[in-house]
Amino acid sequence: MDVIGEEHIATSVNTPLRWDAFEISDEIKIELIEKHFRDIMHIMGLDLNDDSLSGTPHRVAKMFVKEIFSGLNPANKPDIKLFENKYQYKEMLIEKNITLYSYCEHHFVPIIGKAHIAYISNGQVIGLSKINRLVQYYSKRPQVQERLTNQIAEGLKEALQSEDVAIIIDAVHLCVASRGIKDTNSSTVTSYYSGKFQDQKTQAEFLSLIK
Ligand SMILES: [Zn+2]
């Protein structure tokens, strides 16, 4: 288990969720996480009667369920509508420097990065902010960067009904930067090219435009 954690190996393209992941409500989840997080803080020796700490278990629990891990719940998946490509724009569209905050599933510390996303319209277009929303949705899960990249790609292909998508994610993993090997200079780059982006020329154009 320790080896998997340090090597950051993902076991599956899908987030490994249990079948009963959403059998209990968000409210009950917050209550349960709050209780257990209080126990963790207590075990670490922290005084939960201190004014500054007493609200932390509830804040953390609410943040887990409603914010930073809200992308686990399919109910929070952004609803994406497509529009007709009226301007007949046929070239690639790139949304670059999308800020993402995700969390390493082996250490539960932040992954902070940028996503660059491109697609070529097959007759329909997507609202630009929806691309950001899709990135945020899949980021708000315990993740490994490879899976995050693939999930965003699959989500985008599904939304666009097209194979012509490209994604690059460049991210810093705090589990690498702030602990363990403590390398603050390295970042991790992952990519995904499908459809027309498997063509070298198209790929090169994408890469030159996100520089
Ligand atoms: Zn990690």
Side-chain angles (χ1 to χ4, degrees):
M1 196 183 281
D2 215 31
V3 169
I4 286 178
E6 293 303 326
E7 299 302 328
H8 291 90
I9 297 162
T11 51
S12 163
V13 178
N14 296 318
T15 299
L17 279 170
R18 287 200 325 270
W19 66 269
D20 60 349
F22 305 103
E23 296 282 291
I24 54 172
S25 69
D26 281 3
E27 285 59 42
I28 307 256
K29 283 186 185 186
I30 290 170
E31 261 175 48
L32 292 170
I33 294 169
E34 177 178 340
K35 173 182 170 294
H36 289 291
F37 202 78
R38 177 170 286 117
D39 287 346
I40 290 171
M41 290 176 70
H42 178 79
I43 292 162
M44 289 195 296
L46 292 165
D47 178 7
L48 282 138
N49 293 314
D50 184 272
D51 277 351
S52 176
L53 298 181
S54 61
T56 300
H58 181 70
R59 270 191 297 272
V60 169
K62 199 172 156 200
M63 177 182 72
F64 272 22
V65 175
K66 294 291 189 188
E67 295 179 85
I68 69 175
F69 300 129
S70 60
L72 286 172
N73 192 338
N76 296 324
K77 191 173 177 182
D79 183 23
I80 296 180
K81 287 185 186 68
L82 298 177
F83 303 93
E84 193 190 330
N85 184 4
K86 284 187 183 149
Y87 4 91
Q88 296 297 309
Y89 180 75
K90 297 259 171 56
E91 304 304 318
M92 73 177 68
L93 180 143
I94 300 173
E95 184 84 356
K96 68 176 184 179
N97 294 319
I98 299 170
T99 304
L100 72 83
Y101 293 97
S102 191
Y103 299 85
C104 158
E105 70 182 18
H106 303 128
H107 298 94
F108 271 54
V109 293
I111 298 170
I112 304 167
K114 298 278 184 201
H116 311 293
I117 291 186
Y119 78 95
I120 298 169
S121 168
N122 69 351
Q124 293 190 295
V125 293
I126 186 172
L128 293 183
S129 69
K130 298 294 185 182
I131 298 177
N132 296 57
R133 284 190 197 284
L134 209 59
V135 171
Q136 307 315 340
Y137 170 67
Y138 289 109
S139 297
K140 286 177 178 178
R141 297 176 174 188
Q143 278 288 16
V144 291
Q145 190 173 325
E146 297 90 327
R147 185 204 293 127
L148 174 62
T149 308
N150 289 343
Q151 288 184 342
I152 294 169
E154 294 302 329
L156 200 64
K157 290 198 298 191
E158 180 195 289
L160 286 162
Q161 302 289 311
S162 165
E163 285 293 309
D164 306 329
V165 306
I167 297 180
I168 289 196
I169 294 178
D170 186 349
V172 171
H173 294 238
L174 288 202
C175 54
V176 175
S178 71
R179 54 158 298 287
I181 197 93
K182 287 190 179 154
D183 184 340
T184 51
N185 286 315
S186 65
S187 70
T188 305
V189 179
T190 45
S191 61
Y192 185 104
Y193 302 107
S194 66
K196 291 177 183 165
F197 286 94
Q198 282 179 333
D199 173 62
Q200 291 289 324
K201 209 171 130 260
T202 311
Q203 224 176 82
E205 186 188 340
F206 169 57
L207 292 171
S208 72
L209 289 170
I210 62 168
K211 284 229 170 73

